[in-house]
Amino acid sequence: MAPIRYKGSAQAAQERLRDIIKGLPRATIKIDTPGYLSVEVRSRFMGFIDDVEFLFDSNDSTIHFRSGARVGYYDFGVNRSRMESIVQAFHAS
């Protein structure tokens, strides 16, 4: 997926993204420093953990991200679906 583009400051974009993540079920922000967010998301049934990271590039006004399962090779598209929802919510806010 392409990075998330934003307008305005990186700080404002990070605050907006933080608010979206706080609304996700079973998501916990582990690291929240200027320009970087690290999030753990637990699966509904088995409690598997997905790691999601966001890096804010203020030079290009983009947010680079990755999302992946800690264990296993296939997640039935859950990570991609989650990221698509986050991107959609980010652009809607």
Side-chain angles (χ1 to χ4, degrees):
M1 292 179 61
I4 303 168
R5 299 198 80 34
Y6 65 87
K7 294 182 181 181
S9 71
Q11 180 180 359
Q14 188 163 343
E15 289 171 8
R16 186 168 49 201
L17 187 58
R18 185 183 308 115
D19 289 342
I20 292 166
I21 291 167
K22 285 180 179 178
L24 294 177
R26 301 171 308 283
T28 304
I29 296 174
K30 295 306 230 177
I31 301 172
D32 185 356
T33 60
Y36 179 77
L37 286 174
S38 176
V39 180
E40 289 181 355
V41 183
R42 290 192 177 272
S43 66
R44 185 179 329 176
F45 298 111
M46 299 296 288
F48 294 120
I49 298 174
D50 293 339
D51 292 305
V52 187
E53 296 178 288
F54 300 91
L55 181 65
F56 296 76
D57 182 348
S58 59
N59 293 327
D60 291 331
S61 298
T62 56
I63 305 168
H64 301 276
F65 58 87
R66 65 169 288 282
S67 179
R70 283 189 187 172
V71 210
Y73 297 102
Y74 189 71
D75 70 349
F76 302 97
V78 171
N79 279 294
R80 182 174 188 89
S81 177
R82 179 186 308 117
M83 294 311 302
E84 288 171 347
S85 295
I86 289 171
V87 170
Q88 184 178 23
F90 185 86
H91 289 304
S93 61

